[in-house]
Amino acid sequence: MDNDNPKNIIEFLFAQRADANKELLIRTNPAGIILEIIGNPRHFSRTNLKPDMPVTGYFPFLNTFFPVTKAKQTSLPRVNWEKLYMDMQLVCDQNLESWILFSDVTEEVNEVEENIQHDNDFTLKHNSKIKHFSFDNPFGDLNLFDIVTFLKTKEDKFVPLGIIPSWFEQYFPQLISTKSTEDLLETFPYLEVFLPHAKSFWETKKESLSGSDMWIENPVGEIELHLRAFATNKNENNYLLIRLLDHDDIPVSQRTIQKAREHQLLYEKLKKAEKKLQQLLYYKDKFVSIVSHDLRSPMASVVSIAEMLLTDQQLLSTMSDFNREIMQSMKEELLRLLEYNDRLYHWANLELGISNSNRKKYRLTS
Amino acid sequence: MLGTFAVGKTSLVQRFVNSIFSEKYHTTIGVKIDQKKIELDENEVTLMLWDIHGEDEFQKVKPAYILGSSGYFIVLDGTRRNTIEVGLKLQKLVENTVGKIPFVLLINKVDLKEHWEITDEDIERLKALNTDIILTSAKTGDAVEEAFLKLTRKMLK
Ligand SMILES: Nc1nc2c(ncn2[C@@H]2O[C@H](COP(=O)(O)OP(=O)(O)OP(=O)(O)O)[C@@H](O)[C@H]2O)c(=O)[nH]1
Ligand SMILES: [Mg+2]
């Protein structure tokens, strides 16, 4: 579909369903602040939905989708929220604005209510793995978001709720029963820093979410899981959620930071190499400057001797024409060399940043 | 384990806990906690090693990570002189957060000594921190065990 055109997005979203009374479309900015509300908000939230408020204030389970970092289209799993069952479509356009379409599917779900209830029932079978725990998850099927939900009791025990996400069942089966804070910390020592923070949040009774930073678990060998914990409240009860993050969820993705740090290291290496090169160039210029300087005097002396000889009429008269010519061209060659050396000297000093005010004048006559 | 990115925090922990080393740079995103039991003067000590992601503009070390710690390493990379600055900054952060608790300064990658930018004069100046300075190599294992034992001893005192 064409993500660029909002009209298309609305049409696309509404085309999915027919009953406008049971639909709600919310547009948010990348941070999840509501920009526009289309449809029937009353039907979906007890509190009055308002623009300029964070959408997660009304629907906390959307928290992990904001802020939006890239355009994408997602069908969210069915959620049970405030007596409603909802399907949600999330479309993030090129401007990272999100369109969220909520559809009430309670009726549809009610038809199979009995079966669902049956599924959620306590299913501790003999000699088989525990998949569900005794209590329903008041937030709905958060397991579909890779979230495991714990109810925190007044005695600081943690009770897993609803369906356990498969990653949790696979790697942390020891925690699928009522656990003490110590048990939890033994498996997730990181929570030591989050639980005090969570505790103060639970005391506020706020029904929004408060999240931890990311931490890493190595349950087996090479497997590396990135996790985040959240504290939330509902109906005076305290909940702890632990979510497995997939690649897209990591705020500034792993790869970006990895690349940036690699680039920084490379840059530092290049800088080091450049410094070395500058040093070498400096030595070269210094060398040329010193050598050309030291060559000046002896070369100038030789030129003087040649000049002296060429003015000695008595000597010249003893020479053949051929020898005299050789003598003359020798002097010219020497002069050329001297001039060349002189230029080299000044050039090297320029490179070294030494001003050539001490330039000496040479008589260059032939 | 505190220090800027790529100084070798993860490598030092891996060398100490699992006796392994990898040349490949895999930056730590988030916090990684490892456990190691050691025998020290007939005491069994369990170390919880918090390998905190590198401090740079992407990820900052939060005071919350430091609050429960009983000791720490400041890790520098001998081949990168600018790792000193971040190291000193983090040391200050810890001191301002939990006060004076034991720490040891590690200058890592001593196997690359001929490429070091950190000079003997720098090291002389770092002595002002008034703590042990140990030159380590996660690659060869040089002084790694010694460093962890040294810090553990200081923490137990
Ligand atoms: N030669 C040498 N290389 C090392 C040594 N220690 C670490 N390295 C290398 O340095 C790079 C960074 O090591 P890490 O252990 O990932 O560094 P870090 O401090 O955990 O980095 P961040 O997680 O990004 O903060 C890797 O390529 C390692 O192989 C060492 O002692 N000698
Ligand atoms: Mg690391």
Side-chain angles (χ1 to χ4, degrees):
Chain A
M1 64 171 280
D2 180 3
N3 271 1
D4 294 334
N5 187 341
K7 274 254 162 55
N8 283 357
I9 292 175
I10 298 176
E11 277 164 19
F12 169 80
L13 290 172
F14 275 114
Q16 311 272 308
R17 307 223 156 245
D19 190 349
N21 262 336
K22 293 185 176 179
E23 308 279 22
L24 170 64
L25 180 64
I26 295 179
R27 180 165 68 92
T28 75
N29 73 7
I33 305 298
I34 300 178
L35 301 174
E36 195 178 346
I37 301 168
I38 304 166
N40 188 2
R42 286 275 159 92
H43 188 75
F44 288 85
S45 176
R46 278 179 307 180
T47 36
N48 208 357
L49 275 155
K50 285 197 200 85
D52 299 327
M53 299 297 287
V55 66
T56 51
Y58 305 106
F59 304 108
F61 48 85
L62 292 173
N63 199 294
T64 50
F65 294 94
F66 295 99
V68 173
T69 50
K70 66 173 192 215
K72 63 179 170 191
Q73 181 194 331
T74 327
S75 280
L76 307 186
R78 189 159 288 180
V79 162
N80 177 4
W81 178 251
E82 303 196 336
K83 299 200 183 115
L84 290 184
Y85 280 90
M86 303 191 284
D87 279 354
M88 286 166 291
Q89 294 267 349
L90 182 82
V91 177
C92 305
D93 63 22
Q94 302 296 316
N95 305 324
L96 299 183
E97 285 188 351
S98 292
W99 300 78
I100 311 158
L101 177 73
F102 299 82
S103 311
D104 174 8
V105 290
T106 313
E107 243 169 60
E108 194 179 315
V109 170
N110 276 344
E111 282 174 27
V112 284
E113 165 87 316
E114 265 186 60
N115 299 345
I116 288 175
Q117 199 47 51
H118 178 73
D119 272 356
N120 270 348
D121 273 348
F122 190 54
T123 52
L124 221 189
K125 293 187 195 121
H126 289 290
N127 298 326
S128 76
K129 259 193 269 169
I130 306 160
K131 287 218 172 110
H132 316 137
F133 211 64
S134 44
F135 306 98
D136 277 357
N137 188 337
F139 303 103
D141 298 341
L142 287 186
N143 60 299
L144 297 172
F145 297 91
D146 284 335
I147 294 172
V148 59
T149 309
F150 292 92
L151 170 79
K152 187 191 80 75
T153 67
K154 300 278 172 291
E155 298 80 39
D156 282 346
K157 295 253 190 300
F158 292 86
V159 185
L161 299 180
I163 304 175
I164 306 299
S166 55
W167 63 270
F168 198 81
E169 195 189 330
Q170 183 179 356
Y171 296 121
F172 308 104
Q174 72 273 23
L175 290 185
I176 312 181
S177 56
T178 302
K179 289 294 168 196
S180 67
T181 306
E182 290 71 39
D183 295 331
L184 212 60
L185 286 179
E186 194 168 312
T187 306
F188 300 128
Y190 177 83
L191 291 179
E192 188 188 317
V193 296
F194 180 61
L195 284 181
H197 177 81
K199 203 164 201 160
S200 6
F201 187 80
W202 285 322
E203 278 160 13
T204 66
K205 305 212 163 89
K206 280 192 204 149
E207 300 210 345
S208 53
L209 273 184
S210 167
S212 75
D213 281 339
M214 205 180 331
W215 82 91
I216 303 166
E217 290 294 339
N218 271 136
V220 282
E222 297 277 275
I223 302 287
E224 195 171 78
L225 307 177
H226 281 93
L227 304 176
R228 268 186 88 187
F230 300 87
T232 187
N233 303 294
K234 195 172 161 82
N235 304 329
E236 308 266 306
N237 284 324
N238 309 139
Y239 298 91
L240 176 75
L241 317 181
I242 298 177
R243 175 164 190 198
L244 172 70
L245 303 173
D246 67 38
H247 224 77
D248 288 349
D249 296 321
I250 301 178
V252 186
S253 90
Q254 162 107 20
R255 247 176 295 148
T256 314
I257 298 184
Q258 174 84 37
K259 274 267 156 351
R261 287 181 173 160
E262 278 170 6
H263 284 166
Q264 180 67 27
L265 286 178
L266 204 62
Y267 172 77
E268 284 174 16
K269 261 199 189 137
L270 281 174
K271 266 225 117 62
K272 229 168 154 176
E274 193 200 0
K275 221 168 123 186
K276 242 188 196 155
L277 204 64
Q278 292 286 4
Q279 190 66 265
L280 281 175
L281 282 173
Y282 173 82
Y283 287 144
K284 185 210 72 188
D285 291 338
K286 194 86 196 157
F287 175 78
V288 172
S289 165
I290 289 170
V291 170
S292 54
H293 178 265
D294 289 355
L295 277 177
R296 273 167 132 189
S297 318
M299 276 169 82
S301 313
V302 177
V303 172
S304 305
I305 292 169
E307 267 176 349
M308 215 173 73
L309 292 178
L310 280 167
T311 49
D312 186 339
Q313 293 305 327
Q314 204 179 345
L315 179 73
L316 288 179
S317 63
T318 63
M319 286 182 175
S320 65
D321 281 355
F322 179 71
N323 284 350
R324 268 197 299 276
E325 248 166 56
I326 288 195
M327 192 83 152
Q328 181 66 32
S329 71
M330 226 165 81
K331 192 197 92 180
E332 279 161 15
E333 281 304 316
L334 277 168
L335 271 174
R336 227 196 311 278
L337 209 57
L338 188 63
E339 194 187 340
Y340 175 73
N341 182 69
D342 204 41
R343 270 195 241 133
L344 208 58
Y345 176 73
H346 288 301
W347 171 79
N349 280 356
L350 270 178
E351 291 291 306
L352 287 169
I354 300 170
S355 82
N356 41 1
S357 60
N358 59 346
R359 183 190 293 178
K360 284 191 196 127
K361 287 256 156 60
Y362 281 86
R363 200 162 45 86
L364 295 173
T365 48
S366 50
Chain B
M1 311 296 300
L2 295 169
T4 193
F5 69 98
V7 292
K9 299 180 294 295
T10 304
S11 302
L12 287 163
V13 172
Q14 284 313 308
R15 161 63 67 191
F16 181 58
V17 175
N18 299 317
S19 308
I20 49 173
F21 174 78
S22 158
E23 291 280 353
K24 198 168 161 346
Y25 177 38
H26 180 66
T27 188
T28 308
I29 312 280
V31 177
K32 172 89 199 307
I33 303 169
D34 279 283
Q35 226 187 79
K36 167 105 173 168
K37 280 194 171 59
I38 54 169
E39 292 273 341
L40 192 73
D41 311 332
E42 292 171 17
N43 292 319
E44 190 176 78
V45 185
T46 305
L47 295 175
M48 300 297 285
L49 306 168
W50 288 57
D51 176 9
I52 299 177
H53 49 66
E55 164 97 1
D56 59 12
E57 58 265 45
F58 295 107
Q59 293 184 305
K60 300 266 173 250
V61 172
K62 297 208 170 140
Y65 296 146
I66 304 162
L67 276 172
S69 71
S70 24
Y72 60 99
F73 287 113
I74 296 288
V75 188
L76 310 182
D77 176 348
T79 66
R80 288 152 66 213
R81 193 157 185 279
N82 58 5
T83 59
I84 297 180
E85 195 189 325
V86 180
L88 292 179
K89 207 181 94 197
L90 288 168
Q91 201 277 325
K92 273 267 151 348
L93 174 74
V94 182
E95 209 152 293
N96 295 338
T97 313
V98 286
K100 283 194 193 301
I101 57 171
F103 78 103
V104 172
L105 184 76
L106 305 184
I107 313 182
N108 192 35
K109 308 197 187 176
V110 72
D111 56 291
L112 300 174
K113 192 84 203 273
E114 69 270 29
H115 299 293
W116 270 31
E117 282 182 353
I118 294 183
T119 61
D120 290 345
E121 290 86 75
D122 290 328
I123 297 177
E124 210 48 49
R125 240 171 289 134
L126 287 167
K127 287 189 177 153
L129 287 172
N130 225 343
T131 192
D132 299 280
I133 299 176
I134 303 180
L135 313 190
T136 55
S137 168
K139 184 169 176 174
T140 62
D142 253 23
V144 174
E145 181 122 348
E146 177 197 330
F148 280 94
L149 293 183
K150 171 77 90 186
L151 182 64
T152 311
R153 246 192 209 101
K154 286 180 123 181
M155 293 191 300
L156 288 177
K157 251 187 213 155

